[in-house]
């Protein structure tokens, strides 16, 4: 969907607002061929809530976590806790205590403290220290470490530098630096860069861990052009499984509504992937307008079976001021030298003038060399219902059919999520929260 109902629940708030968004839900999967199912319970919480609000010192609770419980054995199947701590802010410094994302550190977390000084309006300097959790699971780990933090902000430009030195079992685990920058200017172009250097590790290896650059430009109002280049290892968790339409649709749907965000737990691969891509989109403004998008992706890896190329084209129609979207697309790619792909149609509609109800459905025909010479099928339906200004109900169901040698594998998946938000607004005269 283009317009998201959850924007009413989790849109960017001014610094004077405290927000807490709680998500509870259940997801299920069933394989008709295996006659087996799985039922999971979900709980998520995102909060920025003031505990103390003085004139010069403010204390805020920070929470960002998602848990998934397998009901078959009451086992915690997945946990992603990126923040669980407090932030103390004064005019010239910000102190974070607990589980905190490292400022400018990408996926890096720390169980400890983070101190940032604000000597000027345009720059920060500080450090973090404590135990570094596992990047894949966010589970606590006995990896003590520390590193510097520097950030510079100018009109239309932001740059940051974060470093780390980590120890494990009494020896050096890793030392590295992460540099990030972003530029933006009118009329409608932006550029970003990321450079993650591994200075050394316990094996004495050094080199490039992650690097990317991206550019977005609007030469004329209806046209947008994007291009990027990315070199990465498993640190970025960019997995090939995202080519599966089941995972693509469900994960994109959850992410767009602020309910997903779980990182794929791939095996760690220190070798660099090379990913290059470009795209062009055309979408005029107006009540009833056509739109189109074309993009390409190429990934190189030392192992041929991990390489892929992808071409994607979609075209459709927006009507009712964007409240109705109809589209068809073709997604063709080669993975490990084997061609595969899918073609599909999609419809999304917001039938109520208030936008309180949204329906999004798609149907796809899938071609895969692993199938038994016949195509597979995939279909889904998502329903978003805003129960009140602070409560959103999301229901999703899907079914797939994959012709395996000797049988047809039919499966069904679905989820129900309920998200509710508490919001407390303080007087604007209290100023910035030092976020």
């Amino acid at each position: 969907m283009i317009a998201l109902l959850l924007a009413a629940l989790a849109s960017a708030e001014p610094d004077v607002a405290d927000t807490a968004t709680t998500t509870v839900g259940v997801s299920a999967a069933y394989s008709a061929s295996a006659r087996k199912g799985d039922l999971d319970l979900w709980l998520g919480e995102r909060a920025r809530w003031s505990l103390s609000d003085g004139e010069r010192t403010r204390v805020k609770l920070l929470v960002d976590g998602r848990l998934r419980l397998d009901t078959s054995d009451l086992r915690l199947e997945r946990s992603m806790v990126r923040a669980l701590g407090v932030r103390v802010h004064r005019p010239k410094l910000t102190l974070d205590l607990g589980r905190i994302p490292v400022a400018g550190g990408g996926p890096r977390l720390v169980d400890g403290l983070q101190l940032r000084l604000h000597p000027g309006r345009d720059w920060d300097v500080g450090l973090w220290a404590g135990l570094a959790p596992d990047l894949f699971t966010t589970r606590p780990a006995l990896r003590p470490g520390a590193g510097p933090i520097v950030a510079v902000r100018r009109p239309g430009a932001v740059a940051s530098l974060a470093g780390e030195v980590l120890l494990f079992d009494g020896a050096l685990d890793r030392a590295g630096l992460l540099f990030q920058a972003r530029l933006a200017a009118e009329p409608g172009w932006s550029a970003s860069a990321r450079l993650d250097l591994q200075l050394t590790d316990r094996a004495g290896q050094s080199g490039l861990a992650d690097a990317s650059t991206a550019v977005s430009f609007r030469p004329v109002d209806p046209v947008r052009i994007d291009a990027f280049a990315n070199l990465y290892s498993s640190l970025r968790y960019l997995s090939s499984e995202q080519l599966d339409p089941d995972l693509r649709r469900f994960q994109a749907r959850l992410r767009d509504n602020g309910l997903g965000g779980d990182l794929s737990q791939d095996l760690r691969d220190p070798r660099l992937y090379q990913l290059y891509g470009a795209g062009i989109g055309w979408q005029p403004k107006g009540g009833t307008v056509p739109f189109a998008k074309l993009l390409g992706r190429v990934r190189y890896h030392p192992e041929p079976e991990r390489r892929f190329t992808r071409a994607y084209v979609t075209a459709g129609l927006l009507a009712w001021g964007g409240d109705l979207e109809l589209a068809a697309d073709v997604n063709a790619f080669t993975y490990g030298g084997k061609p595969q792909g899918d073609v599909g149609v999609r419809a999304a509609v917001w039938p109520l003038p208030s936008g309180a109800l949204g329906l999004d459905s798609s149907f796809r025909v899938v071609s895969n060399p692993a199938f038994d010479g016949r195509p597979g099928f995939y279909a889904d339906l998502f329903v978003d219902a805003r129960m009140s200004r602070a409560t959103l109900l999301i229901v999703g169901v899907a079914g797939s059919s994959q012709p395996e040698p000797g049988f047809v594998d039919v499966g069904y998946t679905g989820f129900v999520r309920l998200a509710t938000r508490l919001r407390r607004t303080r007087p604007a005269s209290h100023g910035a929260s030092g976020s």
Side-chain angles (χ1 to χ4, degrees):
M1 288 185 176
I2 295 177
L4 300 176
L5 287 175
L6 197 66
L9 301 181
S11 58
E13 299 285 354
D15 286 335
V16 295
D18 296 328
T19 60
T21 302
T22 303
T23 304
V24 295
V26 58
S27 61
Y30 178 76
S31 172
S33 56
R35 295 183 179 179
K36 292 183 178 180
D38 181 64
L39 184 67
D40 295 332
L41 301 179
W42 292 80
L43 174 64
E45 182 67 39
R46 288 184 296 175
R48 296 171 61 87
W49 201 265
S50 293
L51 303 178
S52 175
D53 197 17
E55 286 296 329
R56 295 184 57 83
T57 301
R58 290 184 291 277
V59 181
K60 179 170 289 189
L61 174 68
L62 304 178
V63 181
D64 183 3
R66 287 163 296 277
L67 305 177
R68 186 172 76 186
L69 179 69
D70 191 330
T71 60
S72 62
D73 53 9
L74 298 181
R75 175 175 55 90
L76 190 61
E77 193 170 74
R78 177 170 296 182
S79 63
M80 296 295 297
V81 180
R82 290 195 51 80
L84 183 59
V86 295
R87 170 165 295 168
V88 180
H89 176 71
R90 291 180 59 82
K92 293 296 184 179
L93 67 85
T94 299
L95 174 64
D96 298 327
L97 300 171
R99 165 68 60 87
I100 299 293
V102 174
R108 293 164 178 81
L109 307 172
V110 58
D111 291 330
L113 64 87
Q114 179 172 244
L115 175 66
R116 288 173 289 164
L117 305 178
H118 316 300
R121 297 182 59 183
D122 297 334
W123 63 288
D124 302 336
V125 62
L127 60 85
W128 64 269
L131 301 179
D134 187 281
L135 287 178
F136 285 72
T137 64
T138 73
R139 294 172 184 167
L142 291 176
R143 291 197 303 163
I149 301 169
V150 180
V152 179
R153 297 174 298 274
R154 302 290 295 175
V158 178
S160 65
L161 178 69
E164 64 178 347
V165 176
L166 299 175
L167 305 177
F168 181 73
D169 198 21
L172 178 68
D173 184 51
R174 183 180 188 269
L177 290 172
L178 173 62
F179 171 79
Q180 298 181 98
R182 179 176 175 81
L183 301 174
E186 297 296 338
W189 73 269
S190 64
S192 62
R194 172 189 176 100
L195 182 63
D196 193 337
L197 294 176
Q198 180 165 301
L199 304 180
T200 186
D201 64 6
R202 63 176 51 210
Q205 296 180 342
S206 61
L208 184 66
D210 187 0
S212 67
T213 181
V215 177
S216 178
F217 177 57
R218 290 184 180 272
V220 293
D221 188 50
V223 178
R224 173 172 173 168
I225 300 174
D226 299 280
F228 72 90
N230 194 1
L231 307 178
Y232 64 91
S233 65
S234 60
L235 176 64
R236 291 301 304 273
Y237 314 107
L238 301 181
S239 60
S240 303
E241 289 84 351
Q242 302 306 313
L243 298 175
D244 187 327
D246 295 55
L247 299 178
R248 283 209 318 269
R249 282 285 286 171
F250 265 79
Q251 292 183 359
R253 188 78 192 128
L254 291 173
R255 181 184 63 249
D256 291 345
N257 283 280
L259 302 178
D262 291 336
L263 300 176
S264 300
Q265 298 185 41
D266 291 340
L267 295 177
R268 307 188 186 207
D269 187 350
R271 295 169 297 181
L272 287 179
Y273 293 77
Q274 300 180 35
L275 181 63
Y276 307 96
I280 181 170
W282 178 71
Q283 183 174 320
K285 295 180 180 179
T288 301
V289 294
F291 68 89
K293 180 189 296 185
L294 172 66
L295 63 82
R297 300 285 188 268
V298 177
R299 187 176 79 176
Y300 174 81
H301 188 270
E303 296 182 11
E305 61 270 18
R306 292 179 178 263
R307 303 170 188 171
F308 76 72
T309 61
R310 180 190 178 201
Y312 174 81
V313 59
T314 183
L317 181 71
L318 290 174
W320 300 351
D323 288 340
L324 173 64
E325 179 180 348
L326 303 174
D329 66 82
V330 177
N331 183 47
F333 52 91
T334 63
Y335 184 62
K338 299 178 180 179
Q340 50 190 298
D342 49 83
V343 58
V345 294
R346 176 172 168 261
V349 60
W350 291 261
L352 301 181
S354 62
L357 179 66
L359 305 174
D360 185 354
S361 182
S362 74
F363 175 78
R364 311 197 68 79
V365 180
V366 183
S367 173
N368 192 312
F371 293 169
D372 190 24
R374 294 171 292 167
F377 301 95
Y378 168 83
D380 63 29
L381 172 64
F382 299 97
V383 179
D384 300 344
R386 195 169 64 215
M387 314 300 291
S388 69
R389 294 185 60 186
T391 304
L392 174 67
L393 176 67
I394 303 178
V395 180
V397 292
S400 63
S401 173
Q402 300 182 8
E404 306 289 346
F407 70 100
V408 177
D409 187 6
V410 178
Y412 307 96
T413 54
F415 70 87
V416 178
R417 300 285 178 90
L418 182 68
T420 182
R421 185 193 68 176
L422 296 177
R423 182 173 182 266
R424 180 178 63 185
T425 302
R426 307 188 312 278
S429 60
H430 284 191
S433 64
S435 54

